[in-house]
C-alpha cells in the first residue's frame, strides 16, 4: 500500500541545453532555467500495524527497532535507484552475496534528539554522510548522494518521531549502512549494493551519572594498521577488535587503549572512540594518520576547545609520554569521544602492570564541561554557536 510520494530535488550539474524531461520509474530529469535537475521521489509505504513503544526509562542500546526503514538499491550501469521507506522487515539475500564472504560494507552512527520544546534535531548529520562516502572510497563502494541521503533520513525520522524517547539522556540512534549484495564468490568489488537506514530508541548512556572507566593499554592485538581500513567505518575493524575486548573485560576493564599497529608505541583510539589527554593544561589528541577514525565528536571537541581559547593540539603521542606525564604529576585528564557516550572519562589506565590513576579516578573539569556543552547543544538546552544542529520536519 503506497500512501504518499515525497519529492526531493537534486542538482546534477549546470546545463548546456537539455530541455527534454526524461522519466523512468521514480526518476525524472528536467531542466529549470539553466539548471538540470534530477528529481528522485521516495516511495513511502506505511506499516498497517504499529509496534508498541518501549518504556523510555528502561531502554538499552540497539535492541529495539522502529516501524519503518529506508532502502535504496544500486546496480552497475544504473546507479542508485528505487529509494523507499517501507515497514521494518527482514531481508532476503542470496547466500553468495559478497557481504557474507568478504565483508564489503560500511556504516554510520548518529542520533536524533528531542528538545524540551518538542523539536526534533540531528547533530551535524552531513558529516556522517560525508564520512560514509569516505568509507565507501576505501571499500570500493560507489558514492551516495549525501544531500539526498540526508533528506531521506529526515523523512524517515519525521515518520518515526513518536519513537524518540523523551527521558533525560535518551535518543533515537540512527544506523545508515551499505552492503554488497551481488551473488559472486570471486574477490572483486560488488556490482550491486543496498543502502539502508534503521532506527533504534536508546537509553541514557550514563544512567547513574557520568562515570570514569578503567582502560587497559593493549600490547598484543591491534585495531588497525597504516594503509589498512582503520579510517573507514567498516565491519571488519570491529570484528578484529572483539578478541582484545573479551580478554580485558575478564579483568574488569571497560575497554582497551589501542596503540599503533607498527611499533605499538603511539596512541590511536580507546575502544571505538577517539581519545584526548590533558597534560599540563594542554589538550592533546592523536593526529589523524590514516588508521584513526575521524570522529564527528572528536572534531566537535577540538572546535569547542578552540572556541573557549584552550590550547588543543593534534599530534602523534606515545604511551611512554603519558606514563612520564603521570609520574611527574602533569597528566590531568583523559577521555574518549564518540556519538554513543559523547565524553567517556578515563579514571585508570593500566600499562605494563602499572596502574595510572587519573584525576583520582574522578571526572575532570574539561571532560565535564565538554559533556555538558555538547549534550546541551544536542538537546537544544544551550546555544549552538556553530550551527551544528539540524531540525527535522521544518523544511
Ligand atoms: C564511530 C567511531 C568513532 C567515533 O566517531 P563519532 O563520529 O564521534 O561517533 C571513533 N572511533 C571508531 C573506531 C569509530 O568507529
Amino acid at each position: 500500500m503506497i500512501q504518499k510520494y515525497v519529492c526531493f530535488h537534486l542538482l546534477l550539474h549546470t546545463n548546456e541545453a537539455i530541455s527534454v524531461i526524461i522519466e523512468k520509474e521514480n526518476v525524472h530529469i528536467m531542466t529549470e532555467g539553466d539548471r538540470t535537475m534530477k528529481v528522485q521521489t521516495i516511495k513511502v509505504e506505511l506499516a498497517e500495524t504499529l509496534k508498541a513503544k518501549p518504556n523510555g526509562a528502561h531502554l538499552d542500546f540497539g535492541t529495539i527497532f522502529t516501524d519503518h526503514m529506508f532502502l535504496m538499491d544500486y546496480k552497475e550501469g544504473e546507479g542508485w535507484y528505487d529509494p523507499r521507506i517501507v515497514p521494518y522487515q527482514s531481508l532476503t539475500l542470496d547466500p553468495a552475496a559478497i557481504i557474507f564472504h568478504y565483508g564489503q560494507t560500511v556504516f554510520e552512527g548518529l542520533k536524533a534528539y528531542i528538545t524540551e520544546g518538542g523539536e526534533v534535531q540531528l547533530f551535524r548529520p552531513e558529516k556522517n554522510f560525508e564520512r560514509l562516502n569516505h568509507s565507501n572510497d576505501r571499500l570500493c563502494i560507489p558514492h551516495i548522494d549525501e544531500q539526498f541521503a540526508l533528506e531521506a533520513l529526515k523523512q524517515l525520522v519525521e515518520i518515526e518521531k513518536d519513537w524518540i524517547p523523551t527521558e533525560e539522556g535518551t535518543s533515537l540512534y540512527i544506523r545508515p549502512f551499505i552492503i554488497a549484495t551481488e551473488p559472486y564468490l570471486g574477490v572483486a568489488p560488488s556490482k550491486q549494493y543496498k543502502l539502508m537506514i534503521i532506527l533504534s530508541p536508546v537509553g541514557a548512556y550514563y544512567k547513574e551519572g557520568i562515570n570514569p572507566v578503567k582502560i587497559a593499554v593493549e600490547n598484543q592485538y591491534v585495531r588497525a594498521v597504516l594503509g589498512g581500513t582503520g579510517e573507514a567505518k567498516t565491519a571488519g575493524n570491529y570484528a578484529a577488535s572483539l578478541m582484545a575486548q573479551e580478554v580485558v573485560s575478564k579483568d574488569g576493564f571497560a575497554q582497551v587503549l589501542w596503540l599503533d599497529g607498527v611499533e605499538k608505541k603511539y596512541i590511536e583510539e580507546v575502544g571505538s572512540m577517539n581519545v584526548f589527554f590533558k597534560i599540563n593544561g594542554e589538550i592533546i589528541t592523536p593526529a589523524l594518520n590514516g588508521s584513526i577514525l575521524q570522529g564527528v565528536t572528536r572534531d566537535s571537541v577540538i572546535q569547542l576547545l578552540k572556541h573557549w581559547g584552550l590550547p588543543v593540539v593534534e599530534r602523534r603521542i606515545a604511551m611512554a609520554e603519558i606514563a612520564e606525564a603521570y609520574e611527574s604529576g602533569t597528566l590531568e585528564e583523559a577521555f574518549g569521544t564518540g556519538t554513543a557516550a559523547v565524553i567517556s572519562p578515563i579514571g585508570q589506565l593500566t600499562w605494563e602492570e602499572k596502574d595510572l590513576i587519573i584525576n583520582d579516578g574522578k571526572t575532570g573539569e574539561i571532560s565535564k564541561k565538554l559533556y555538558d556543552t555538547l549534550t546541551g547543544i544536542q538537546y537544544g538546552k544551550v546555544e549552538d554557536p556553530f550551527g551544528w544542529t539540524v531540525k527535522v520536519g521544518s523544511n
Side-chain angles (χ1 to χ4, degrees), residues 107-109 128 131 223 230 233 238 269 271-274 293-298 337-340:
F107 72 93
E108 267 307 322
N128 294 90
R131 187 171 65 189
R223 189 193 86 91
K233 245 177 148 67
Y238 305 84
E269 303 202 44
S272 48
M273 288 183 281
N274 296 112
L293 203 285
Q294 314 183 9
V296 177
T297 320
R298 175 186 182 278
T337 67
T339 296

Side-chain angles (χ1 to χ4, degrees), residues 276-278 282-285 298-313 335 366-367 369-370 386 388:
F276 287 75
F277 298 90
K278 181 165 168 260
E282 185 180 58
I283 300 123
I284 307 161
T285 191
R298 175 186 182 278
D299 182 74
S300 308
V301 162
I302 292 170
Q303 287 197 48
L304 263 177
L305 292 170
K306 287 183 178 163
H307 182 70
W308 293 334
L310 294 171
V312 52
V313 291
F335 55 92
I366 296 292
S367 309
K369 188 173 174 192
L370 284 164
F386 305 94
W388 281 339

